[in-house]
């Protein structure tokens, strides 16, 4: 019995010694790793600074939020104007989400705005995108000239001035090249573009030209239109209708420029002398 007890104690001592040796070996291994890492770095090298925790940012865009809120609370007409201006300037098609990003007009959440925009005469809606719609779908000077030639009685410039961004510059270029006549008045709403067909050029006697220049014209555009109707010609403009619409919409008439030296009075005689180019060929030669 005594021998067995001694053997049991001896085994327990061996187990304790083995555990102690294992812990010592683990400690030495970790110490050697630390020594190796310390040798690879200079003694005085600063330790890598800990990355600072990013500060929590709170929204400080109060002014922009107030601007968005003011737009969405504005009248429907004001919001429609913002959208149409975007469509007119860019000439691109936009979804409701894209319009919201560009103008802050929330079309999808405002039925009144959506219905007004969809039914607007200047807006094309294909079921998904909105785009600008002019009366005549033109993309350049060649198409513009082709359209004007389809109106020998004259095409009101107001019908094409929003067809594309550079339409007025193209009209001026066509006029300078002698391909059209662009007759202007004090009211730009009454400007007319006429095709200038080279085949229709005829030679006129000087006396006939002088007679034309001396013809006295009515002072008001309405009277001119009445005279045209009396002579079986259909005017290209309807001044009575346009002025009535302007009064209904509350559009003030443009004040006429006053010039002392060229003031028009009741005694002033208006003639065709202000349009001598009607009898001139390109290059300045008279017919």
């Amino acid at each position: 019995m005594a021998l067995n007890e001694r053997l049991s104690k001896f085994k327990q001592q061996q187990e304790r010694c083995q555990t102690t040796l294992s812990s010592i070996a683990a400690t030495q291994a970790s110490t050697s790793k630390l020594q190796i890492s310390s040798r690879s770095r200079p003694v005085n090298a600063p330790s890598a600074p800990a990355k600072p925790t990013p500060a929590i940012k709170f929204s400080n865009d109060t002014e922009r939020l107030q601007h968005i809120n003011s737009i969405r609370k504005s009248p429907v007409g004001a919001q429609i104007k913002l959208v149409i201006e975007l469509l007119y300037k860019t000439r691109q098609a936009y979804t409701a989400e894209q319009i919201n990003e560009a103008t802050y007009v929330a079309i999808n959440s405002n039925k009144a705005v959506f219905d007004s925009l969809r039914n607007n005469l200047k807006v094309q809606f294909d079921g998904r995108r909105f785009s600008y719609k002019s009366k005549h779908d033109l993309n350049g000077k060649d198409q513009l000239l082709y359209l004007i030639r389809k109106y020998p009685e004259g095409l009101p410039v107001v019908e094409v001035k929003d067809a594309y961004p550079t339409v007025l510059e193209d009209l001026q270029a066509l006029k300078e090249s002698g391909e059209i006549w662009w007759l202007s008045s004090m009211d730009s709403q009454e400007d007319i573009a006429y095709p200038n067909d080279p085949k229709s050029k005829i030679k006129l006697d000087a006396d006939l030209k002088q007679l034309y220049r001396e013809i006295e014209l009515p002072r008001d555009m309405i009277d001119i239109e009445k005279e045209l109707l009396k002579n079986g010609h259909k005017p290209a403009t309807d001044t009575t209708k346009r002025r009535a619409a302007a009064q209904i919409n509350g559009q003030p008439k443009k004040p006429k420029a006053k010039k002392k030296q060229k003031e028009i009075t009741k005694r002033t005689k208006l003639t065709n002398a202000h349009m001598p180019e009607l009898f001139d060929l390109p290059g300045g030669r008279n017919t």
Side-chain angles (χ1 to χ4, degrees):
M1 291 294 294
L3 181 61
N4 290 334
E5 289 178 357
R6 289 179 180 177
L7 289 173
S8 177
K9 290 181 180 180
F10 179 73
K11 290 180 180 180
Q12 291 177 358
Q13 289 178 353
Q14 284 185 332
E15 291 176 356
R16 286 196 293 269
C17 290
Q18 186 66 34
T19 302
T20 303
L21 291 173
S22 299
S23 63
I24 293 171
T27 303
Q28 289 178 345
S30 62
T31 303
S32 62
K33 289 182 180 179
L34 289 174
Q35 290 176 349
I36 293 171
S37 62
S38 63
R39 290 194 197 98
S40 61
R41 187 180 62 194
V43 177
N44 297 327
S47 59
K51 294 183 179 179
T53 304
I56 300 175
K57 294 183 179 179
F58 296 94
S59 176
N60 194 27
D61 204 3
T62 306
E63 185 176 349
R64 185 180 69 89
L65 295 176
Q66 289 177 345
H67 177 62
I68 295 174
N69 186 54
S70 66
I71 289 177
R72 294 180 178 175
K73 287 187 176 181
S74 63
V76 173
Q79 298 186 54
I80 295 297
K81 182 181 179 183
L82 285 174
V83 176
I84 292 180
E85 286 179 350
L86 171 70
L87 301 179
Y88 174 76
K89 291 178 180 178
T90 61
R91 300 304 174 105
Q92 297 179 3
Y94 291 83
T95 63
E97 293 77 10
Q98 291 171 333
I99 290 175
N100 184 22
E101 292 176 1
T103 65
Y104 303 126
V105 176
I107 298 175
N108 287 336
S109 61
N110 192 325
K111 187 177 184 300
V113 173
F114 177 82
D115 291 341
S116 297
L117 192 62
R118 182 183 59 182
N119 299 322
N120 193 286
L121 296 176
K122 292 295 183 182
V123 177
Q124 176 71 37
F125 181 60
D126 62 3
R128 185 168 179 266
R129 290 184 173 87
F130 298 86
S131 57
Y132 189 81
K133 180 176 68 175
S134 56
K135 183 173 182 179
H136 299 284
D137 186 14
L138 305 174
N139 294 318
K141 186 167 62 174
D142 293 339
Q143 293 184 6
L144 176 62
L145 178 60
Y146 178 78
L147 177 68
I148 295 174
R149 286 176 174 171
K150 292 170 63 177
Y151 290 84
E153 73 281 3
L155 176 67
V157 173
V158 68
E159 292 188 9
V160 296
K161 67 185 303 182
D162 65 341
Y164 57 93
T166 60
V167 66
L168 295 180
E169 288 84 347
D170 287 345
L171 277 171
Q172 184 64 33
L174 291 173
K175 176 184 177 182
E176 293 175 355
S177 65
E179 295 179 272
I180 68 167
W181 300 112
W182 182 0
L183 303 185
S184 304
S185 63
M186 295 185 68
D187 188 346
S188 61
Q189 298 291 326
E190 298 173 355
D191 289 5
I192 308 293
Y194 295 90
N196 184 22
D197 187 357
K199 297 179 182 179
S200 64
K201 289 184 178 296
I202 58 175
K203 292 185 177 181
L204 297 177
D205 187 77
D207 294 337
L208 183 59
K209 296 180 184 178
Q210 186 63 28
L211 179 63
Y212 172 83
R213 295 187 178 115
E214 291 177 353
I215 294 177
E216 187 171 355
L217 302 178
R219 293 176 50 81
D220 196 291
M221 193 66 185
I222 294 178
D223 297 330
I224 294 177
E225 293 170 356
K226 289 179 179 178
E227 290 295 327
L228 290 172
L229 290 171
K230 286 180 182 179
N231 289 276
H233 299 287
K234 182 182 178 181
T237 58
D238 191 341
T239 304
T240 302
K241 182 178 179 180
R242 183 184 59 77
R243 291 178 181 175
Q247 291 179 356
I248 293 174
N249 296 329
Q251 297 177 359
K253 295 182 178 179
K254 294 182 179 180
K256 295 183 178 180
K258 295 182 179 180
K259 296 182 180 181
K260 294 183 179 180
Q261 296 179 354
K262 297 182 180 180
E263 185 178 2
I264 299 176
T265 65
K266 292 182 179 180
R267 296 182 181 180
T268 304
K269 184 177 180 181
L270 300 179
T271 68
N272 287 321
H274 66 291
M275 295 187 293
E277 67 273 9
L278 292 181
F279 300 108
D280 292 339
L281 287 171
R285 295 181 289 105
N286 292 331
T287 57

